[in-house]
């Protein structure tokens, strides 16, 4: 007998902030606390559950638009599909890097999400834009306290799309 946990698939998205031609990439992250972090502050990226019947990229796009107040990103670079607990299941994590992002002035803000799995999330968070160097430093210093966020951030920073923009 082995404990197996049947849980929803999830997405994590590293979101590149609006960047002008020739500028170093910047990223949108949250400063927040989470219930299981014992009151500690963590940097965080977009995360959410894949709704039943929803494709992971569709979930990633939905979560970015909802959590970033209407931000729309042209490109979602798939970084991989991973188990977060290889002995017990826990669903799959689908990681993405979102680029080509801009504000959608016609977006509807604060849409009711009563039917969404896990809603409402009442944890406090503050959105901020950080440079690529700050993102690397935060990852090195363990400022993303959730291991899934750390892994997705590391994968995004190694993605060829970002390397091409810096050189």
């Amino acid at each position: 007998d082995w404990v197996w946990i049947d849980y929803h698939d999830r997405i994590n998205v590293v979101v590149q902030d609006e960047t002008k031609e020739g500028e170093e990439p910047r990223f949108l992250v949250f400063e927040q606390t989470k219930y299981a972090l014992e009151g500690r502050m963590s940097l965080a990226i977009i995360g959410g559950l894949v709704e039943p019947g929803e494709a992971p990229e569709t979930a990633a796009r939905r979560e970015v638009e909802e959590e970033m107040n209407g931000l729309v990103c042209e490109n979602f670079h798939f970084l991989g599909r991973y188990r977060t607990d290889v002995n017990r299941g826990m669903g799959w994590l689908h990681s993405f890097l979102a680029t080509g992002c801009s504000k959608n002035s016609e977006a509807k803000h604060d849409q009711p999400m009563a039917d969404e799995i896990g809603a409402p999330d009442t944890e406090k968070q503050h959105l901020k834009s950080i440079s690529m160097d700050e993102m690397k430093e935060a990852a090195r210093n363990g400022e993303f306290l959730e291991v899934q966020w750390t892994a997705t951030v590391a994968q995004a920073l190694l993605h060829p799309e970002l390397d091409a923009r810096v050189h």
Side-chain angles (χ1 to χ4, degrees), residues 142-162:
E143 294 178 43
F144 294 92
L145 298 180
E146 161 63 62
V147 71
Q148 296 172 50
W149 299 335
T150 302
T152 301
V153 166
Q155 290 174 309
L157 289 171
L158 294 171
H159 195 275
E161 172 72 12
L162 295 181

Side-chain angles (χ1 to χ4, degrees), residues 28-56:
L28 295 169
V29 297
F30 294 106
E31 283 183 318
Q32 65 181 19
T33 60
K34 284 289 196 186
Y35 305 116
L37 295 180
E38 302 165 334
R40 295 174 18 194
M41 186 65 68
S42 176
L43 290 182
I45 58 176
I46 294 289
L49 298 176
V50 178
E51 300 290 336
E54 185 176 38

Side-chain angles (χ1 to χ4, degrees), residues 5-159:
I5 302 171
D6 189 14
Y7 192 68
H8 302 280
D9 284 2
R10 295 167 312 288
I11 57 92
N12 277 170
V13 185
V14 171
V15 178
Q16 184 179 351
D17 199 355
E18 291 183 88
T19 307
K20 294 182 180 119
E21 186 73 29
E23 284 184 342
E24 178 185 356
R26 297 187 65 80
F27 302 92
L28 295 169
V29 297
F30 294 106
E31 283 183 318
Q32 65 181 19
T33 60
K34 284 289 196 186
Y35 305 116
L37 295 180
E38 302 165 334
R40 295 174 18 194
M41 186 65 68
S42 176
L43 290 182
I45 58 176
I46 294 289
L49 298 176
V50 178
E51 300 290 336
E54 185 176 38
E57 184 176 324
T58 302
R61 288 179 181 279
R62 174 181 50 78
E63 289 288 345
V64 167
E65 192 167 341
E66 287 173 0
E67 293 190 33
M68 296 286 176
N69 294 323
L71 190 73
V72 176
C73 301
E74 291 179 26
N75 310 305
F76 278 73
H77 306 278
F78 183 63
L79 302 174
R81 177 179 178 253
Y82 305 96
R83 279 282 188 208
T84 56
D85 189 332
V86 295
N87 288 325
R88 291 172 190 82
M90 292 298 296
W92 291 92
L93 173 69
H94 306 266
S95 298
F96 294 89
L97 166 63
T99 61
C101 304
S102 60
K103 279 286 189 191
N104 178 357
S105 60
E106 297 175 14
K108 297 176 184 170
H109 303 295
D110 301 322
Q111 298 176 20
M113 298 182 292
D115 295 334
E116 183 178 336
I117 298 169
D121 185 356
T122 58
E123 295 159 321
K124 301 282 187 234
Q125 56 188 23
H126 169 72
L127 182 63
K128 65 188 232 177
S129 178
I130 63 175
S131 70
M132 183 179 282
D133 286 342
E134 291 170 320
M135 182 79 118
K136 289 177 182 178
E137 188 70 18
R140 268 194 298 274
N141 291 337
E143 294 178 43
F144 294 92
L145 298 180
E146 161 63 62
V147 71
Q148 296 172 50
W149 299 335
T150 302
T152 301
V153 166
Q155 290 174 309
L157 289 171
L158 294 171
H159 195 275

